[in-house]
Structures are given as C-alpha cells and as structure tokens.
Amino acid sequence: MPNIKSAIKRVKTTEKKNAQNNMIKSDMRTAVKKVEAAVVNNDATAATGTYAEAARKLDKAAAKGLIHKNAAARKKSRLMKKMNILNA
C-alpha cells in the first residue's frame, strides 16, 4: 500500500474506475451474447430488439475508451451480418 496521501487517493479512484469499467464491459458482453442467442434460436424480432441495445452499449464502451472504436464497429458489423442471414 502507498504511504503518500495523494497515492492513497489515486488507489481509491482507480478502484472505483476499474469497477465502473468492468460493469460497463460486462453489460456490453451480455448484450452481444443476447443477440447471438436470439440468432441461434431463429428469433428475428428478439434479435432486432436486442441488437439496438447491444449497438448502443458497444458505442458507449468505445466512447469511454474501454474498447477501440474500430473493434466496436467490427462487432456491430458481425452481429448485423448474422441477423441478415437470419432474415434472409
């Protein structure tokens, strides 16, 4: 543990930020898995509804710097590709 007061404060803020980032990343992954599960179950309406939420969470994660913006775009593109196969 740090002894300097400012370093102690940094540890606290870092722990808070890490917890927040982990929560956002977890929500993002869960949303993506929901879309993929809907696609596997051939449920087009559920896939469409959950895709909107997943895309929003991916964009938020990219905006906060948790994932790269190109990674978010790639994930959204792959999900949309799966949904297009389902709708075709």
Side-chain angles (χ1 to χ4, degrees):
M1 281 300 290
N3 295 324
I4 299 167
K5 192 170 187 177
S6 62
I8 292 169
K9 290 178 191 174
R10 288 306 288 159
V11 167
K12 285 182 184 179
T13 57
T14 302
E15 286 174 353
K16 280 185 193 175
K17 195 171 249 315
N18 283 344
Q20 185 71 19
N21 288 345
N22 288 338
M23 187 180 73
I24 293 169
K25 261 191 172 178
S26 176
D27 287 346
M28 177 192 68
R29 289 188 194 117
T30 303
V32 169
K33 285 179 186 174
K34 282 182 184 177
V35 175
E36 290 173 344
V39 169
V40 168
N41 293 332
N42 292 329
D43 191 358
T45 56
T48 306
T50 54
Y51 173 79
E53 182 185 349
R56 190 171 60 83
K57 292 194 183 219
L58 283 164
D59 287 336
K60 278 194 173 185
K64 291 182 184 294
L66 297 177
I67 60 172
H68 195 273
K69 66 175 186 166
N70 291 351
R74 183 180 65 241
K75 288 176 188 286
K76 289 193 303 185
S77 175
R78 288 178 181 172
L79 286 175
M80 187 56 79
K81 196 185 249 186
K82 289 177 184 179
M83 286 178 42
N84 288 341
I85 291 170
L86 178 67
N87 293 331

